[in-house]
């Protein structure tokens, strides 16, 4: 059933447990998605659970699933202190208030104690994209500021070509990180026209 449904998907979101990481069932489904060249995003869920480890999960996506994956977000806090994410493309911090069950997003400047880490991770993201895209590589090597729209455009192209997997994070149970994930689905995954018609087999 999984294989049959994957054949007609335009894109997919791989959801990973921030504590368990890449599990055997995830590897099976991912392998089928590879078989049918389904473009993907990755969402590291349950960042509010004890033992959550975002970096370990990203590392396992790269190593176990053999994909080039890099965060486009960073978690702010972890376990019971998980309160939001840093958008590495827009360079903004997004916070959710549990009082309204995460319905409203508060966009703020990146907290001072996380600025250096965010800059380093954004640089890592750009370096990763530069390895895959000549336009980004040229701008990066020339020391040019890379426009945010250009980053989004290149990420979308690489995702559709199955060359790159953007990694986001959150806690779906508490509605933290869900809205940016849906925005990423619209921005980075292909529309039906991008994928073309599904070919049937008699």
């Amino acid at each position: 059933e999984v294989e049959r449904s994957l054949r007609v998907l335009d894109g997919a979101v791989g959801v990973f447990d921030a504590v368990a990481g890449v599990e055997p069932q995830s590897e099976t489904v991912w392998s089928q998605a590879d078989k049918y060249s389904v473009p993907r995003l990755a969402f590291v869920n349950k960042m509010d659970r004890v033992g959550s480890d975002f970096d370990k999960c990203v590392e396992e996506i790269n190593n176990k699933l053999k994909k080039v994956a890099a965060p486009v977000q960073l978690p702010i806090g972890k376990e019971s202190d998980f309160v939001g994410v840093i958008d590495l493309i827009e360079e903004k911090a997004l916070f959710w208030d549990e009082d309204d069950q995460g319905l409203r997003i508060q966009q703020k400047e990146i907290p001072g104690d996380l600025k250096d880490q965010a800059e380093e991770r954004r640089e890592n993201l750009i370096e990763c994209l530069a390895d895959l895209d000549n336009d980004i590589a040229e701008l990066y090597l020339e020391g040019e500021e890379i426009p945010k729209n250009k980053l989004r455009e290149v990420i979308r192209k690489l995702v559709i070509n199955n060359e790159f997997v953007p990694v986001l994070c959150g806690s779906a149970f508490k509605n933290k990180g869900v809205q940016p994930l849906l925005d990423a689905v619209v921005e980075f995954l292909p529309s039906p026209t991008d994928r073309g018609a599904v070919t049937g087999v008699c």
Side-chain angles (χ1 to χ4, degrees), residues 61-96:
I61 293 170
N62 278 277
N63 296 334
K64 288 188 176 182
L65 302 180
K66 309 299 182 188
K67 302 299 282 188
V68 179
V72 294
Q73 292 179 345
L74 278 186
I76 300 175
K78 62 184 294 187
E79 300 178 348
S80 61
D81 294 326
F82 175 69
V83 293
V85 302
I86 294 172
D87 183 328
L88 294 177
I89 298 174
E90 290 297 323
E91 299 179 279
K92 292 290 184 182
L94 307 176
F95 293 91
W96 286 268

Side-chain angles (χ1 to χ4, degrees), residues 136-148:
I136 297 292
E138 187 174 333
L139 290 170
Y140 180 68
L141 291 173
E142 291 177 357
E144 297 283 341
E145 180 68 28
I146 302 172
K148 294 167 184 175

Side-chain angles (χ1 to χ4, degrees), residues 73-131:
Q73 292 179 345
L74 278 186
I76 300 175
K78 62 184 294 187
E79 300 178 348
S80 61
D81 294 326
F82 175 69
V83 293
V85 302
I86 294 172
D87 183 328
L88 294 177
I89 298 174
E90 290 297 323
E91 299 179 279
K92 292 290 184 182
L94 307 176
F95 293 91
W96 286 268
D97 190 339
E98 292 192 16
D99 291 340
D100 65 2
Q101 297 182 321
L103 292 177
R104 286 178 295 178
I105 302 175
Q106 299 176 46
Q107 182 173 292
K108 299 181 180 181
E109 295 300 313
I110 297 172
D113 60 333
L114 294 175
K115 277 191 175 180
D116 287 347
Q117 183 187 8
E119 285 176 11
E120 180 184 349
R121 293 303 188 89
R122 192 174 195 271
E123 188 80 2
N124 291 344
L125 171 63
I126 291 172
E127 287 176 0
C128 181
L129 296 176
D131 287 339

